[in-house]
Every structure is written in C-alpha cells, then in structure tokens.
Amino acid sequence: MTRRPIIAGNWKMNLTVTEGLALARGVRDRCARFRGVDVVVGPAAMALHPIIERLADSPIGVAAQNCHWADKGAFTGELSPVQLAEVGCTHVIIGHSERRTLFGETDENVGKKARSLHDHGLIPIVCIGETLAEREAGTTLAVVTRQLDAAIALLDGDELSRTVLAYEPVWAIGTGKTATPEQAQDVHAAIRARLAEKAGAEATEAVRIQYGGSVKPTNIRALMAQPDIDGALVGGASLDSDSFARIVSFEEDVDR
Ligand code: PEP
C-alpha cells in the first residue's frame, strides 16, 4: 500500500498571532500546490481560529498542540476536542515529549486524548520516542512500545488507521542531531510490527508514521526514502515558510 505522506509543522510557543498569520500565508502560498502530500501547521492556541480562517481556501490542515480529553468542565487553562473541532481544527498533536517531560503528560492520558479526539472527528498526531538515556540503556523499543500501546489502547482498527504516529527521539528534538535514516527506519519498522500484533493488517498498513527530530530540507529526502517513514513532524524548520516548503516538496528535484 502507498501511504500518502503527511508533513506537519509544530510552531510550539514561538509566534504571536500576527507572526503566525504571516507564516500561514507563506505556507499557503508555497505549499498548497503540492497535492501529493498532506500539509498541516500547528500554531499556538489563540492563533488557531484566525489561521483556520486564513487557510480556509486551501487544503492545508491546522493542528492544535495539545488538548484535554473531556468535552467540557472545570479544567482551567485547557482546551477540549469539542472546542477545537468547532473552530475547524483538523489534527491535534498529543504526547509531545515537551508535554511529557515538562508538564507531566502520562501514557494513559495520551490514550484518553486519542479516544476523545476520534469521538469528535479530529485526527491525533501521537508523539512517542525515547530519551538519550533510554537509548543508551538499550530500552528504546521497550519505551516506544509502552507509549504506543497506551496511546492506541482505546481505539478500534478503523480509528487506528486514521491516527498519525510521530516517532520523535527526544535526543533529536531541537538539537540538530537527526537520527540517521536507518536508525529511524529501525524504530518505525518496530512500531509497525507492534501495530500488526495489536490490530489487523489493514490498519497496520494504513497508519502513517512520521519521523520528528531536527528534520531539515537537507535530510528530508533520505528520511522519506525509508519504507516505513511516511512524513515528518517538524519543529524549528517549520517556522520559516521557505524551509518548510522545501521539506514539503521533498519529492521534487529541487536544489536544496
Ligand atoms: C518537535 O518538537 O516536534 C521537533 C521535531 O522539533 P525540531 O524539528 O526543532 O527538532
């Protein structure tokens, strides 16, 4: 099966609304023509609505960077899948390593968020990945498997096939140290093998697994050449529309 590539930008807490709108315009102008790739941008929460409006005439998706699993309630400072769906979000990034390490995100909560997002027609982009200490201790696959199992525990095969996974080795995020394409492929293949144990062949084949961690225009093509790498979750390089477009256009024979 050929899986349609998906490239998403995680803007984190980096841009004002004005800056985000300008970047969204740049992404739309440069990326909307690449019809063979799903393109998603991930602005800060207060910029979601205006950016969704700005991108309304384009195929570009818009992701929130986190959510709560409840529909509504006394959860000060949180955003619910109901609220995100109402403004037109298409995707939500959950389980990002910054949420896990800095804000106490647990494996179990990631699973509840994935469940709730599917209940409201939103696509989770589920981040999983090991720290440097875990890699050096030889526990990469155990960690990633534990995170994966919890994230998909409440999903059926159909929901799983629509879920996007992002393998992001924590040691490669924002460090300039990319996993080699072979290192990434090894983990992606192990993730797909685990999916095969947990879900049917159809869902296993359909799930798109992004790689994330210092993805740049110069390394995207080698990563995308790997059989189980179906896209990228991009942090730093997504903050410039030109570099993001060069990543999105990885299939084109352009000078990078
Ligand atoms: C990320 O935070 O998801 C990420 C991959 O960041 P960067 O591309 O900057 O390493």
Side-chain angles (χ1 to χ4, degrees):
M1 171 192 266
T2 25
R3 290 176 289 271
R4 184 178 163 84
I6 175 165
I7 309 273
N10 174 10
W11 298 354
K12 310 193 184 186
M13 198 180 71
N14 281 309
L15 305 174
T16 64
V17 175
T18 309
E19 290 166 342
L21 281 165
L23 179 55
R25 190 187 307 114
V27 170
R28 184 192 60 195
D29 292 350
R30 289 177 172 79
C31 298
R33 72 187 175 89
F34 299 116
R35 297 289 168 152
V37 182
D38 285 347
V39 180
V40 179
V41 294
M46 76 287 195
L48 288 169
H49 192 213
I51 286 177
I52 287 163
E53 288 190 330
R54 176 145 303 176
L55 295 176
D57 59 347
S58 85
I60 296 169
V62 179
Q65 298 174 14
N66 183 33
C67 69
H68 198 278
W69 57 85
D71 289 0
K72 63 191 290 190
F75 300 106
T76 302
E78 294 289 308
L79 293 172
S80 81
V82 173
Q83 293 169 319
L84 296 172
E86 189 207 24
V87 296
C89 281
T90 51
H91 298 71
V92 180
I93 299 167
I94 55 174
H96 192 279
S97 66
E98 287 150 18
R99 303 266 1 140
R100 292 179 189 265
T101 56
L102 303 173
F103 302 103
E105 178 86 292
T106 65
D107 292 340
E108 194 197 352
N109 288 356
V110 174
K112 289 197 260 185
K113 291 177 183 191
R115 171 70 266 139
S116 179
L117 288 170
H118 279 291
D119 287 339
H120 297 289
L122 291 158
I123 298 174
I125 299 178
V126 180
C127 303
I128 56 179
E130 82 289 0
T131 63
L132 184 58
E134 289 163 342
R135 175 162 282 262
E136 286 175 349
T139 57
T140 296
L141 295 187
V143 169
V144 167
T145 302
R146 188 199 74 225
Q147 293 173 336
L148 175 67
D149 287 359
I152 66 173
L154 306 175
L155 306 182
D156 66 25
D158 188 45
E159 290 158 346
L160 184 56
S161 62
R162 281 181 277 117
T163 300
V164 176
L165 301 173
Y167 167 57
E168 299 207 303
V170 180
W171 47 272
I173 295 179
T175 58
K177 283 188 211 155
T178 325
T180 64
E182 295 73 24
Q183 278 175 322
Q185 167 58 26
D186 284 350
V187 181
H188 282 231
I191 291 170
R192 209 174 297 282
R194 182 64 177 173
L195 290 172
E197 288 171 23
K198 293 262 159 193
E202 215 175 303
T204 301
E205 274 301 297
V207 173
R208 292 178 294 177
I209 311 175
Q210 297 176 313
Y211 168 78
S214 298
V215 171
K216 298 187 266 302
T218 47
N219 58 25
I220 182 68
R221 211 186 292 188
L223 288 161
M224 291 302 293
Q226 300 296 321
D228 288 296
I229 299 184
D230 310 308
L233 182 54
V234 186
S238 72
L239 294 173
D240 175 81
S241 59
D242 188 51
S243 76
F244 190 61
R246 285 160 68 214
I247 291 170
V248 167
S249 64
F250 68 94
E251 277 179 318
E252 300 220 334
D253 192 18
V254 290
D255 181 20
R256 54 198 69 230

